[in-house]
Amino acid sequence: MHPLLRAGLCAALAVLLAGCGAPGSAVARHAIRGKLLDARGRPLAGQRVEVLRPAAYGFEGLDRSFGQPESHGHHAKTLTLTTDSDGGFYHLFDPTPYNITLLFIPPIGAIPRQPPEPLMGLRDGSRTYLLGSDHHHFDYRIIVPSGPPRRDPEQHLSGTYTLHEFPGESAGSQSKIKGWELALTIRR
């Protein structure tokens, strides 16, 4: 085989194996659902729960080099929810963009295939928590005024992340948006 032809075939094979990608974005929609209980497991009605979703959700890759999350349409969301008679609370966040890579050769599509789990802050009146995931399993830390976030030896909080398809942006829309629902149980 001619050396130039062999080099060309090797280069084509390398491109096929390495893939050809381009940066892009997708949209996720997340929800938080929870139940606030006292030490005996009874629901706490009428209690305030503050939730914070940071602006940096889904803000990755080259975007970090070219500005702050707010300059790319990412905004922190802080809200106060009040527990119902069963100690429950729920909020469905607005759609939020996150970074993906589109792979063209071979035609794999978008990576990641599902939105990343959101990182959130939560204050239940007595404690402040940092909520997230560790290898797709719910994890959290207590935020203390003097020092780094720490594990909770008394395990006041339990939770799970579940991937859902939520309604699209407009009322009556038939479109669905993938996202995570974080379901929590908080014991005071």
Side-chain angles (χ1 to χ4, degrees):
M1 181 182 295
H2 191 273
L4 192 55
L5 181 59
R6 185 180 323 183
L9 287 174
C10 286
L13 182 61
V15 167
L16 284 174
L17 292 175
C20 183
S25 64
V27 176
R29 192 160 198 192
H30 303 298
I32 186 166
R33 173 184 310 276
K35 190 169 277 272
L36 187 60
L37 307 172
D38 68 12
R40 293 184 180 173
R42 295 178 299 205
L44 293 170
Q47 302 294 306
R48 289 179 34 177
V49 176
E50 294 177 62
V51 178
L52 167 71
R53 188 194 61 201
Y57 172 77
F59 190 68
E60 298 293 332
L62 289 175
D63 287 346
R64 288 186 181 259
S65 303
F66 295 109
Q68 297 298 313
E70 293 80 10
S71 63
H72 294 271
H74 293 250
H75 301 283
K77 176 78 174 180
T78 303
L79 51 110
T80 301
L81 306 173
T82 303
T83 59
D84 61 20
S85 61
D86 294 323
F89 59 90
Y90 178 82
H91 181 76
L92 178 62
F93 289 94
D94 291 335
T96 305
Y98 66 95
N99 292 94
I100 61 171
T101 300
L102 295 172
L103 296 177
F104 300 110
I105 302 173
I108 293 175
I111 299 211
R113 296 221 183 268
Q114 60 195 31
E117 292 98 339
L119 178 70
M120 293 186 204
L122 183 135
R123 181 177 300 131
D124 73 354
S126 62
R127 292 181 194 85
T128 302
Y129 301 98
L130 178 63
L131 313 173
S133 71
D134 183 17
H135 298 92
H136 302 292
H137 296 289
F138 174 75
D139 197 11
Y140 75 99
R141 302 286 188 272
I142 295 177
I143 299 174
V144 293
S146 58
R150 61 178 171 82
R151 290 205 176 269
D152 178 10
E154 298 173 26
Q155 298 185 342
H156 290 98
L157 202 144
S158 62
T160 57
Y161 278 105
T162 307
L163 192 61
H164 283 278
E165 287 193 350
F166 295 105
E169 293 186 48
S170 59
S173 171
Q174 298 298 327
S175 68
K176 300 287 184 184
I177 299 175
K178 277 188 180 180
W180 293 95
E181 179 176 282
L182 174 55
L184 301 169
T185 301
I186 307 164
R187 293 187 188 273
R188 280 194 177 164

